Amino acid sequence: MKKHILIVPGDGIGQEVTEVGKAVLVKIAEKFGHEFTYDEALMGHVAIEATGNPLPDETLEKMRNSDAILFGAVGHPKYDNDPTAKVRPEQGLLKMRKELGLYANLRPIKLFDELLGASSIRPEILKGSDILFFRELTGDIYFGEKGRKNDNNTAYDIAEYSRYEVKRIARKAFEAARTRGKRLCSVDKANVLETSRLWREVVQALAPEYPDITVEHQFVDAAAMMLIKDPKRFDVVVTANLFGDILTDEASQIAGSMGMLASASVGDSTGVYEPIHGSAHDITGKGVANPLASVLSAALLLDISFGLKEESEAIISAVDKLLKDGFRTRDIADATTPADKILNTQQAGEELLKRI
Ligand code: NAD
């Protein structure tokens, strides 16, 4: 298969982990006889420094012309500590989602058995957890009107959803539930929010088209509690942008570390595959970042954008094998991990390639 992949490392550890993600794609192409070509583009703080724009037109053009995008993360402490900065790295992220029509963010939360001890949740509660989140990505409070009034003493962000927006993400979640445990949980705050009442109405109206799927509706506060209390009760979860942002970070604890979780953003054009973690400036440049979320993002890319299931499975099996062989990066190591089994980012990449 011939495909063109754009690598957008972004900032901080994004640069370190996408290097490993790309190496894995190169290895897979070699092993399975595919012809992948690569290009690279700037985004985030590095793009602001180089061009003054967090998502330069050249990057957007390259994104539109590629078959899939392997993305790192954007962000820099300079902006985190200065809420008044007008140009910000995350503007690039939101613009990319809007411009590429990436309305569905898929986040598989799957626990590798070897990491049962790495979570702060008890192993017997976690074992067997396997959740697929669908977070709506181009609507809600992130994209509504925002501003200040009353002489800068009051701020507002408006949340908005259309029936069309809710229906297209809900449909994707119903379809996915069909290929899994046939259970769908729609999360909202319909007791308080009008956008949530519309959300629930649309999901309820769609349900008769999927009689094989058991649908449940949960309020976001209850869902947040239930994720920790009994994660196994969830199969596919569909929710709005803001709730999804928070719940998926919470759910990352089921997988043991942010460094283990991949995500896919798909919609109208090129799909974007990225770890759920950010640019992690506290560990940038130290070589200790866990590259497995980027590697698992590469696996999602092959599966979802190219339909290469066997190749995708080969990557997941290699990650499984690496963990079974006792290797850990620092974030998923514990007191029982021998020092010679603790790998830095580069070593984790090398050990992984040996197992593909
Ligand atoms: P973060 O995800 O970068 O880091 C949270 C914690 O998890 C840190 O202690 C970090 O060291 C650790 N961590 C994250 N990824 C890891 C990995 N692969 N290996 C080992 N440890 C890892 O979140 P944050 O600290 O809240 O934000 C840092 C910056 O990233 C901010 O500027 C924020 O805006 C940005 N951010 C970007 C994205 C994105 O680009 N999609 C997402 C979240 C945050």
Side-chain angles (χ1 to χ4, degrees):
M1 182 181 278
K2 276 190 183 180
K3 292 286 179 191
H4 184 63
I5 302 170
L6 183 67
I7 312 286
V8 184
D11 303 318
I13 64 163
Q15 310 241 354
E16 301 164 32
V17 298
T18 44
E19 205 173 303
V20 180
K22 180 183 171 187
V24 163
L25 287 169
V26 170
K27 178 79 181 181
I28 286 286
E30 181 192 303
K31 187 176 158 76
F32 288 85
H34 299 300
E35 210 177 299
F36 295 162
T37 53
Y38 305 89
D39 197 356
E40 203 163 293
L42 293 176
M43 194 170 142
H45 169 67
V46 288
I48 297 174
E49 292 285 290
T51 68
N53 183 348
L55 180 61
D57 290 346
E58 189 193 342
T59 298
L60 201 51
E61 190 60 25
K62 283 186 178 183
M63 287 177 162
R64 289 204 172 98
N65 292 328
S66 62
D67 296 308
I69 299 162
L70 187 71
F71 178 65
V74 294
H76 191 276
K78 181 173 149 183
Y79 310 92
D80 297 341
N81 300 326
D82 178 11
T84 62
K86 289 273 177 287
V87 181
R88 313 182 61 82
E90 57 274 17
Q91 289 164 344
L93 206 57
L94 295 186
K95 187 169 173 203
M96 171 181 79
R97 290 171 184 167
K98 207 64 175 176
E99 291 286 332
L100 298 182
L102 303 171
Y103 64 83
N105 184 232
L106 281 69
R107 297 189 178 193
I109 311 278
K110 191 169 159 44
L111 177 71
F112 288 90
D113 277 351
E114 291 70 30
L115 296 183
L116 271 171
S119 173
S120 43
I121 306 174
R122 287 207 309 275
E124 67 271 23
I125 294 193
L126 283 182
K127 198 168 167 39
S129 300
D130 182 357
I131 310 172
L132 177 59
F133 272 92
F134 279 79
R135 168 188 168 195
E136 201 287 330
L137 208 57
T138 52
D140 207 356
I141 198 160
Y142 290 72
F143 290 93
E145 194 189 321
K146 46 188 84 243
R148 301 274 177 110
K149 57 184 183 181
N150 296 339
D151 288 336
N152 206 25
N153 286 319
T154 307
Y156 60 90
D157 300 274
I158 294 181
E160 234 178 63
Y161 266 121
S162 68
R163 271 179 209 283
Y164 168 74
E165 285 172 318
V166 181
K167 196 169 175 182
R168 64 182 179 177
I169 181 92
R171 201 174 272 294
K172 275 206 183 286
F174 271 109
E175 299 287 345
R178 255 192 184 156
T179 67
R180 297 174 40 106
K182 300 195 167 31
R183 285 177 293 131
L184 177 67
C185 177
S186 172
V187 175
D188 60 36
K189 187 75 184 167
N191 49 344
V192 179
L193 301 176
E194 198 54 40
T195 41
S196 280
R197 284 193 272 273
L198 178 79
W199 182 282
R200 194 174 282 216
E201 206 179 299
V202 172
V203 175
Q204 279 170 341
L206 215 50
E209 289 183 41
Y210 299 90
D212 49 330
I213 309 295
T214 308
V215 185
E216 134 181 74
H217 299 270
Q218 270 191 20
F219 295 136
V220 63
D221 38 352
M225 179 272 291
M226 209 43 97
L227 262 178
I228 300 297
K229 186 167 184 250
D230 186 15
K232 283 196 281 281
R233 67 173 281 154
F234 295 101
D235 176 21
V236 177
V237 177
V238 64
T239 190
N241 204 344
L242 179 62
F243 299 154
D245 195 358
I246 299 165
L247 290 181
T248 51
D249 264 27
E250 183 193 353
S252 73
Q253 272 313 294
I254 295 169
S257 165
M258 302 267 276
M260 293 300 299
L261 286 185
S263 84
S265 301
V266 298
D268 300 333
S269 71
T270 321
V272 176
Y273 300 84
E274 61 179 300
I276 79 155
H277 63 72
S279 45
H281 280 274
D282 52 336
I283 56 167
T284 296
K286 296 186 177 155
V288 297
N290 181 348
L292 295 179
S294 182
V295 165
L296 293 168
S297 300
L300 273 181
L301 180 156
L302 294 173
D303 181 2
I304 298 176
S305 274
F306 302 167
L308 298 174
K309 292 235 177 295
E310 197 187 335
E311 287 81 343
S312 178
E313 276 302 321
I315 296 177
I316 296 167
S317 302
V319 171
D320 203 25
K321 183 101 197 357
L322 183 84
L323 298 173
K324 281 209 168 82
D325 291 343
F327 290 108
R328 302 284 185 272
T329 45
R330 209 179 58 173
D331 57 309
I332 49 173
D334 59 26
T336 65
T337 315
D340 64 339
K341 293 280 185 181
I342 299 184
L343 305 176
N344 64 30
T345 311
Q346 195 191 340
Q347 291 164 332
E350 286 161 5
E351 290 299 331
L352 196 68
L353 292 185
K354 286 186 206 161
R355 286 165 178 77
I356 293 182

